[in-house]
Amino acid sequence: TGIDDLEVGNRNGVGNLAMSGSSMTLQDDMRIGRNGGTGEAVIENSAIQGQGYILVGADNGAGDLTVRDSEITLNDDFRIGNDFGNSINTATGTATVERSVITLSSENSDLEIGNDGATGHLSITDSTMNVKDNVIIGEDFDTDDNIAIGTLTATNSTLNIDGTSSYMAIGKLGGTGTAVFDNSNVNTINSGTRTEGDFGGEYYRAIEIGYGNASELDPDKAEGSLELK
C-alpha cells in the first residue's frame, strides 16, 4: 500500500490503526495523536518504508504506538512526544517496540523522546534501533512552565548511533531525560560531535547526561539519568 500523509487522531478526533501482515510505503509522514486528537496504532508482522517521519503525540495530542515483529525504515525523524514550542498545550507520546528493527537512515534523522514541553516514553524489548543522527531524550528549548520529559527503556536490545557526528543526549537544555539499558548495548560508531570550548580548544561528545544552558539570561537547567544493568 502506498500512502502520502497518514493521520491517526487529529484535531480533537479519535483514530485507530491496526496493521498486520502488511507492507506500507509512506511518501510523507505518519502522525498519531496530534492537535488535541487521540491516536492509537498497532503494527504487527509488517514492514513500513517511509520518506518522512513518524510522530507519536504532538500539540496537545495523545499518541500510542505499538510495533511487534516488524521492520520500519524512515528517512526522517522518529518523534515521541513533541509540542513544537507550544507554551500552552502539552502532548504525550508512548511507543512500545518488541522483536522489531527500526532504522532511521538519513544523516538528519533523529530519535526524539520528549521535546518542547511534551512527555515521551519509548520501550524497546528484544529489538534493534539504528539511528543515523542523534538520540535526544528530554529536551526543552522554551522557558515556559511545561518541562519536556523523556524516558527510554531498553531490554535485551541494541541501539546503534552511527552518524558522522552523532550523539546521545539524556536531559538537554531545560528537559529531563532518563535512560535505562537492561542487558542491552549502545554502540556509537563515530567519535562524537566536534564542539568548540568556551575557553579555546575543542572537544568531542558522544553521550551527554544533563546538558544544560544555564546562565543569568537563560537559566534553563537539564536533568539526566543513565542506568546500565
Side-chain angles (χ1 to χ4, degrees):
T1 301
I3 296 177
D4 193 1
D5 279 337
L6 177 59
E7 297 274 5
V8 184
N10 187 18
R11 300 194 179 190
N12 298 315
V14 177
N16 291 278
L17 170 67
M19 182 176 174
S20 180
S22 303
S23 62
M24 178 186 296
T25 300
L26 287 170
Q27 301 302 326
D28 208 333
D29 308 319
M30 177 188 291
R31 307 179 188 97
I32 305 166
R34 187 169 75 108
N35 292 328
T38 299
E40 180 178 2
V42 178
I43 300 169
E44 297 182 288
N45 300 299
S46 296
I48 294 178
Q49 181 78 38
Q51 298 300 317
Y53 57 77
I54 290 181
L55 176 62
V56 185
D59 292 334
N60 204 30
D64 190 291
L65 170 65
T66 299
V67 181
R68 297 191 187 99
D69 304 301
S70 297
E71 185 169 350
I72 297 176
T73 301
L74 304 175
N75 286 335
D76 209 327
D77 300 335
F78 185 17
R79 305 174 187 171
I80 306 162
N82 193 315
D83 255 339
F84 298 106
N86 193 323
S87 62
I88 299 175
N89 300 325
T90 185
T92 301
T94 302
T96 303
V97 180
E98 300 173 351
R99 302 178 301 277
S100 298
V101 177
I102 296 181
T103 299
L104 310 182
S105 60
S106 168
E107 286 284 352
N108 297 315
S109 53
D110 290 339
L111 171 61
E112 301 178 4
I113 309 167
N115 197 314
D116 284 348
T119 298
H121 304 282
L122 171 61
S123 173
I124 60 175
T125 303
D126 300 319
S127 298
T128 298
M129 296 201 69
N130 304 305
V131 181
K132 199 68 175 177
D133 205 358
N134 304 318
V135 176
I136 303 171
I137 307 167
E139 180 179 35
D140 208 323
F141 295 100
D142 293 322
T143 57
D144 55 67
D145 292 334
N146 295 328
I147 297 174
I149 299 173
T151 59
L152 167 63
T153 302
T155 305
N156 301 322
S157 297
T158 299
L159 172 61
N160 296 313
I161 309 171
D162 62 354
T164 56
S165 60
S166 303
Y167 64 92
M168 178 167 66
I170 307 170
K172 185 174 181 180
L173 301 180
T176 297
T178 302
V180 178
F181 293 92
D182 186 356
N183 194 34
S184 298
N185 296 314
V186 181
N187 300 314
T188 55
I189 308 302
N190 66 86
S191 59
T193 297
R194 175 185 176 276
T195 303
E196 294 184 0
D198 293 335
F199 302 99
E202 60 188 38
Y203 63 93
Y204 287 81
R205 70 184 192 268
I207 298 178
E208 302 171 342
I209 305 172
Y211 184 86
N213 187 27
S215 68
E216 292 183 1
L217 297 177
D218 186 7
D220 290 343
K221 296 182 180 179
E223 296 183 11
S225 174
L226 171 63
E227 181 179 358
L228 307 174
K229 59 181 181 178

